[in-house]
Amino acid sequence: MISCISSTASLWRATLPHNRRRSPSFPPALLASHQPQNAAFRKLKQSSTASAAAAAALPFDLSPPPIDHDLLETATVEGAKVSEDGIVETYHNDDEALDAAKNGIAVVDLSQYGRIRVSGEDRIQFLHNQSTANFESLREGQGCDTVFVTPTARTIDIAHAWIMKTAITMVVSPMTSGSITEMLNKYIFFADKVEIQDITKQTCLFVLVGPKSNKVIEDLNLGDLVGQPYGSHKHFSVSGMPITVAVGNVISEEGFSFLMPPAAAGSIWRTFVSLGAIPMGSKAWETLRIFQGRPAPGKELTNDFNVLEAGLWNSISLNKGCYKGQETISRLVTYDGIKQRLWGIHLSSSVQPGDLITVDGKKVGKLTSYAAGRTRSEHFGLGYIKRQAASEGDTVIVGENVIGTVVEVPYLARQRRPLFNSKP
């Protein structure tokens, strides 16, 4: 989990200018413990005349070291199951947490995900050339998803990127953080003004998921972020500690992400819980990922599949010029060379990732992920299927004799495929 400090959850009240401050709407118990000298979430000044104190609180000032994982210890005392590498696997409320993600609000600690900071004068051009998104079209305060691919456009990982004042911060999957950092460093040439830094251990990452996320954000006087485009973000300060709040999270354009130093994490986590967010462990998060259809490294994102077969159209620029994998992607689009695509599959019973998908006894694909739902009869998977073999609504066989129905999934349904190539 993450670090914990003794400050109260009431520190989260946004200290906006008086003419913009909303009427307090925190629970009375929180307001009673409020200490004015510790008022939190002061919006950072972004003008060139910002004070030195404000500059020191910017989200890329990472000099404070991580502190002990007090909140992890608290979770353990409360009965959470924690893995050997310090990740809360479950709060023994998986069904409740999944229901909250669908109908209410859940909070997830994703501090095990990698955070990579790219700085230097050439950072925009560098990432523009090393990944699939058009970074040159973005400005400070915006964000995007981008994909790191091999020279033949095979998928490595999806990165969620935030364009900050003097750096770009990217969130990547736990298993790829080290390899992507190493890969990017290899492509820095002598004259490039670029610096790559893995800031995972110096930061924590929480996400809010569920339709009631907007309400919590408004309760925290952060309502000006509601309705903003995916990836939009702003910087705040909690007792002098930098917090970045962004629209969306790694599996959805809805909800919000919170990047912070470990010293701020305890009070922020408790505030979310006090406002009704249901804690979600990594086991339920993986189930949610699969039902949402978000591809993951080592499963849907491997050297066996290219970025277009994974359906990651929103992360790809087809007209920005040369970048790694660009020639392969252009040929696939020009000659309609996408042979398979990723689908969701409703299943009649449990299966195993790697099971073959067949139609009329012929192999047409492979299952890549599987999860059981909130009921014993709910089984769901992700898998690649040949384009001409099956499409939405068709029946397939997974493994020996498990019946599956091909369905669209939310994450891939949001991908906007170019109109000039509209085949399924």
Side-chain angles (χ1 to χ4, degrees):
M1 177 69 70
I2 42 75
S3 309
C4 174
I5 57 176
S6 60
S7 58
T8 63
S10 63
L11 299 184
W12 257 55
R13 184 184 177 197
T15 54
L16 300 177
H18 288 286
N19 62 346
R20 294 182 56 196
R21 186 179 299 170
R22 298 173 54 191
S23 300
S25 53
F26 284 90
L30 292 180
L31 293 174
S33 61
H34 177 64
Q35 300 178 11
Q37 67 270 25
N38 288 327
F41 256 75
R42 187 178 307 277
K43 191 173 295 186
L44 298 179
K45 296 180 180 179
Q46 299 180 0
S47 68
S48 59
T49 59
S51 67
L58 289 173
F60 35 81
D61 176 13
L62 300 168
S63 55
I67 61 176
D68 293 337
H69 288 195
D70 296 335
L71 190 55
L72 179 60
E73 295 174 4
T74 300
T76 304
V77 170
E78 293 176 350
K81 181 180 178 181
V82 181
S83 67
E84 292 183 358
D85 50 357
I87 299 172
V88 173
E89 295 179 348
T90 178
Y91 292 91
H92 303 290
N93 68 339
D94 291 352
D95 289 347
E96 180 187 14
L98 289 169
D99 181 73
K102 182 178 180 180
N103 300 306
I105 179 173
V107 57
V108 193
D109 178 12
L110 295 185
S111 296
Q112 72 272 22
Y113 275 60
R115 270 86 66 199
I116 301 172
R117 177 178 182 258
V118 182
S119 59
E121 294 181 18
D122 298 330
R123 63 190 181 277
I124 297 291
Q125 183 65 43
F126 179 76
L127 285 178
H128 189 83
N129 294 338
Q130 295 301 321
S131 66
T132 60
N134 187 349
F135 278 90
E136 292 183 346
S137 68
L138 300 174
R139 63 180 185 273
E140 180 185 349
Q142 294 182 323
C144 70
D145 284 345
T146 192
V147 186
F148 290 104
V149 299
T150 69
T152 57
R154 302 292 173 167
T155 53
I156 298 172
D157 198 4
I158 307 166
H160 184 45
W162 297 321
I163 313 302
M164 298 180 177
K165 186 174 183 179
T166 63
I168 299 172
T169 298
M170 299 187 297
V171 177
V172 298
S173 302
M175 69 179 295
T176 64
S177 180
S179 60
I180 289 177
T181 300
E182 181 179 356
M183 176 185 70
L184 292 178
N185 274 307
K186 286 182 178 180
Y187 283 96
I188 298 176
F189 295 103
F190 180 75
D192 290 340
K193 297 179 180 179
V194 177
E195 183 178 351
I196 311 297
Q197 184 181 12
D198 187 336
I199 62 172
T200 304
K201 292 183 178 180
Q202 295 124 304
T203 56
C204 291
L205 179 68
F206 297 159
V207 297
L208 294 178
V209 294
K212 294 185 179 179
S213 298
N214 288 354
K215 177 63 167 57
V216 169
I217 292 297
E218 290 171 349
D219 287 345
L220 294 171
N221 283 328
L222 303 176
D224 54 348
L225 281 169
V226 174
Q228 294 300 307
Y230 177 61
S232 300
H233 58 278
K234 295 185 178 181
H235 307 309
F236 302 88
S237 176
V238 173
S239 298
M241 293 179 288
I243 309 291
T244 297
V245 185
V247 177
N249 53 63
V250 297
I251 65 171
S252 174
E253 294 183 3
E254 300 174 349
F256 297 88
S257 300
F258 294 76
L259 181 70
M260 72 211 80
S267 60
I268 291 174
W269 180 270
R270 288 193 295 273
T271 294
F272 286 143
V273 174
S274 74
L275 293 176
I278 303 300
M280 176 183 287
S282 63
K283 181 181 176 181
W285 174 256
E286 173 66 2
T287 298
L288 181 62
R289 178 195 74 80
I290 294 171
F291 274 82
Q292 286 289 313
R294 203 273 196 182
K299 298 176 181 179
E300 292 76 34
L301 305 179
T302 73
N303 202 44
D304 294 330
F305 310 110
N306 66 57
V307 65
L308 299 185
E309 292 171 337
L312 303 177
W313 294 97
N314 290 359
S315 308
I316 302 169
S317 173
L318 297 178
N319 55 12
K320 71 170 184 172
C322 295
Y323 58 94
K324 188 192 296 183
Q326 181 264 337
E327 290 185 6
T328 298
I329 292 173
S330 294
R331 285 198 303 268
L332 289 170
V333 171
T334 300
Y335 299 107
D336 195 20
I338 306 170
K339 298 179 180 179
Q340 56 190 337
R341 64 153 290 183
L342 186 60
W343 289 100
I345 306 173
H346 280 299
L347 299 157
S348 60
S349 63
S350 62
V351 293
Q352 293 294 325
D355 282 351
L356 297 182
I357 301 172
T358 60
V359 173
D360 296 329
K362 297 180 181 180
K363 176 186 173 182
V364 298
K366 182 176 74 171
L367 194 80
T368 53
S369 292
Y370 164 78
R374 288 176 289 160
T375 65
R376 292 183 178 180
S377 61
E378 193 174 15
H379 304 274
F380 196 79
L382 299 175
Y384 284 92
I385 301 175
K386 292 180 179 179
R387 289 177 59 192
Q388 305 303 322
S391 59
E392 187 173 10
D394 289 342
T395 298
V396 296
I397 300 298
V398 180
E400 294 296 328
N401 55 8
V402 176
I403 299 173
T405 302
V406 179
V407 297
E408 190 61 271
V409 284
Y411 185 89
L412 298 179
R414 289 191 294 268
Q415 304 296 315
R416 295 177 291 274
R417 186 167 179 157
L419 295 177
F420 59 78
N421 189 6
S422 59
K423 293 185 179 181

